[in-house]
Amino acid sequence: MYSQKVMEHFKNPRNMGEISDADGVGTVGNPVCGDMMTIYIKVKENRIADIKFKTFGCGAAIATSSMVTELAKGKTLEEALKITRGDIADALEGLPPVKMHCSNLAADALHAAIEDYYKKKKR
Ligand code: FES
């Protein structure tokens, strides 16, 4: 039921971990399944220079976290804000319908981390 790409990212997650001096941090959760995801970003010259994630959740949540870090790394903040739930699911060669919300979590966590960065910068 999972694509090979999902299985591969689940078994070998990219950019897993924490950035202690992150410029932006975004945490989101899904109250229905109880899964939680945090994305940490380091920003240099308006680009995502480094990105890591910590996810307490299902296999698809781990695979979507891993994929969103790959999609966002090196992108400008404006480009990263345009990464959608659909982009993440497509890059993973699809998700089962009951697991589509896991990609929502990944996109939302990325966007929350970028918004956190903007907020901190304004202060
Ligand atoms: Fe909820 Fe995967 S089952 S994020």
Side-chain angles (χ1 to χ4, degrees):
M1 99 179 190
Y2 284 124
S3 72
Q4 279 195 348
K5 205 104 203 202
V6 172
M7 289 311 291
E8 208 257 306
H9 276 262
F10 170 59
K11 287 190 195 142
N12 258 312
R14 326 288 201 268
N15 307 304
M16 194 162 57
E18 217 172 299
I19 301 177
S20 54
D21 59 341
D23 298 316
V25 181
T27 299
V28 295
N30 182 308
V32 178
C33 64
D35 290 3
M36 295 250 307
M37 200 179 280
T38 302
I39 299 262
Y40 306 84
I41 55 168
K42 224 31 213 168
V43 179
K44 265 196 202 114
E45 287 161 18
N46 199 48
R47 270 181 201 279
I48 299 190
D50 199 9
I51 178 163
K52 291 212 184 298
F53 79 88
K54 249 170 69 180
T55 293
F56 302 93
C58 68
I62 291 169
T64 55
S65 313
S66 169
M67 183 49 89
V68 81
T69 62
E70 283 219 313
L71 291 176
K73 205 169 195 170
K75 292 232 164 52
T76 65
L77 296 176
E78 293 74 21
E79 286 165 346
L81 275 173
K82 284 193 199 131
I83 296 173
T84 63
R85 304 154 172 191
D87 293 337
I88 300 166
D90 287 351
L92 285 168
E93 292 163 2
L95 282 167
V98 295
K99 292 286 173 183
M100 279 309 283
H101 77 273
C102 314
S103 63
N104 298 358
L105 222 52
D108 291 352
L110 171 67
H111 298 167
I114 295 171
E115 266 145 37
D116 181 51
Y117 166 75
Y118 283 137
K119 243 192 267 157
K120 283 184 178 142
K121 217 173 82 169
K122 257 195 226 149
R123 252 185 256 142

